[in-house]
Amino acid sequence: MMRYVRFFLFGVISLLIVVIVISFILPSHGHVERESMIAAPPSVVFEQLNELRNNIRWNPWDEVDPKEEIHFSTPSAGRGAYYTWNSKDKKIGTGKFIIVESMPDSSWSFVWQYNRLPALTGGFIIRSANDGKGCWV
């Protein structure tokens, strides 16, 4: 019987050591990059991103809890603008979305603070399509 207990404990300790070693090997930061064609001029796309009151209209997370409280800064567009949210739904929680860069019709960056997790940074680069019928984001 003791033989099985020792074998089990050895297996658990070995598994923990493997998990710890892997956590030191994996990177602590990630990078995701995607590209999409939008059938609208860069100015229209930029306005949808830059004006936070527009931004929440197409944000799927804002549909999860229609009772969440959302507060916008004044102004609600451009560098430094932000909005905060507070929801009783644990999937939504509390957070703040801040515009950190706003270059008309070319780029837009943000910081997203969600609950007590580390802040997420991201952004969009907007380029006109070669055919003039839209833009790449």
Side-chain angles (χ1 to χ4, degrees):
M1 181 69 164
M2 282 301 282
R3 181 175 171 208
Y4 294 115
V5 171
R6 276 192 243 159
F7 183 72
F8 176 74
L9 288 175
F10 177 76
V12 169
I13 291 171
S14 297
L15 182 62
L16 285 173
I17 290 171
V18 168
V19 168
I20 290 170
V21 168
I22 289 174
S23 70
F24 283 112
I25 294 171
L26 293 176
S28 61
H29 292 73
H31 178 86
V32 176
E33 194 170 312
R34 295 189 178 141
E35 188 172 65
S36 182
M37 174 65 159
I38 298 176
S43 60
V44 171
V45 173
F46 180 79
E47 184 60 27
Q48 289 299 309
L49 294 170
N50 196 51
E51 172 54 62
L52 294 177
R53 292 178 191 274
N54 292 338
N55 186 295
I56 66 163
R57 289 184 191 142
W58 50 265
N59 184 344
W61 284 104
D62 291 317
E63 296 173 5
V64 175
D65 181 8
K67 294 180 182 177
E68 75 179 327
E69 297 173 20
I70 299 175
H71 299 283
F72 293 94
S73 65
T74 303
S76 60
R79 186 172 190 224
Y82 65 88
Y83 76 92
T84 60
W85 68 90
N86 186 10
S87 173
K88 292 180 182 176
D89 186 330
K90 291 183 180 183
K91 292 179 195 171
I92 305 300
T94 61
K96 187 173 186 179
F97 190 93
I98 310 160
I99 299 174
V100 294
E101 179 191 6
S102 179
M103 303 293 291
D105 304 345
S106 64
S107 65
W108 184 83
S109 301
F110 63 88
V111 171
W112 186 47
Q113 300 167 343
Y114 178 68
N115 290 332
R116 294 188 176 119
L117 298 173
L120 172 78
T121 59
F124 296 89
I125 297 172
I126 305 167
R127 296 179 288 130
S128 291
N130 291 337
D131 62 6
K133 295 182 179 177
C135 66
W136 288 99
V137 178

